[in-house]
Amino acid sequence: MGKCGHAGLRYWLTLAVAAVSVGCGDARDTGLAGNDLRRPPERAADVRPAIVFLGTSLTAGYGLPSDQAYPALLQERLDAEALDYRVVNAGVSGDTSAGGLRRVDWLLRLPVRVLVIELGANDMLRGLDVPSLRRNLAEIVARTRSAHPDARILIAGMRAAPNLGRDYVTAFEAVFPAFAREHEAALVPFLLEGVAAEPALNQPDGIHPNAAGHRRVADNVWPVLRDVLP
């Protein structure tokens, strides 16, 4: 995150509490919250190549109007540069990598040109095993490239709460750069760079970005996304 002082400690303690709360809850607990978009996308008249954001509430824009979430802000930048792409926000409340894998076939009905994968935060909050995360991400990419051989892949990295133990934290955080190398994907090293642990950029829960935080997240994603567009 760049800063490792009291603000950083507060952020990771907040994540630690979230991890404990999810771990002690029942199967209905959803981890990071957001808009429920589990229903498959409808076929639309818009035939522009799609940039699909497959993610959690961090992508859905929990607590905000949809036009303030970072995918919508990236659509504005695409439009400003006359880049003819359609952003599809497929962020879902509490989604894990397994949930993303279950949903991806519906999304692949769209003319996907770029798949942005923002998954793993809820796997981490639930303490799910890292090998399963790697397998799920790999299968998402395999299905995407089978349906759309020319699709580009971008993955957003995430960090782990320290209460999960050094071994888990190290293994979890290594998934994202290793995945990018192995699957020739573009990488945003940490989606919440400059946002995590900054009270002015987060909602009162200390986890979900506010409108200003989503603008910063869009700043983090844009140069990587722009670079992979055909």
Side-chain angles (χ1 to χ4, degrees), residues 3-112:
K3 293 184 179 181
C4 298
H6 295 298
L9 179 59
R10 283 197 301 272
Y11 176 74
W12 297 120
L13 286 175
T14 300
L15 274 186
V17 171
V20 170
S21 298
V22 170
C24 294
D26 62 28
R28 293 170 295 176
D29 291 334
T30 56
L32 293 172
N35 302 318
D36 191 346
L37 302 179
R38 296 182 190 277
R39 298 179 66 181
E42 299 296 331
R43 293 188 184 275
D46 191 338
V47 296
R48 290 178 295 172
I51 302 173
V52 176
F53 287 77
L54 178 61
T56 70
S57 59
L58 297 174
T59 290
Y62 168 74
L64 298 173
S66 60
D67 62 355
Q68 293 182 12
Y70 77 88
L73 302 179
L74 293 171
Q75 179 73 74
E76 293 177 1
R77 298 190 187 196
L78 292 163
D79 294 343
E81 293 201 14
L83 294 167
D84 197 26
Y85 295 92
R86 171 167 60 116
V87 165
V88 176
N89 187 337
V92 162
S93 168
D95 217 7
T96 62
S97 61
L101 176 57
R102 286 192 294 270
R103 294 192 293 124
V104 73
D105 289 337
W106 287 109
L107 296 168
L108 294 176
R109 299 185 305 162
L110 299 168
V112 179

Side-chain angles (χ1 to χ4, degrees), residues 47-52 84-86 110-116 144 148 150-153 228-230:
V47 296
R48 290 178 295 172
I51 302 173
V52 176
D84 197 26
Y85 295 92
R86 171 167 60 116
L110 299 168
V112 179
R113 185 60 57 86
V114 180
L115 179 68
V116 181
T144 300
H148 303 284
D150 295 328
R152 309 290 177 87
I153 306 296
V228 304
L229 293 176

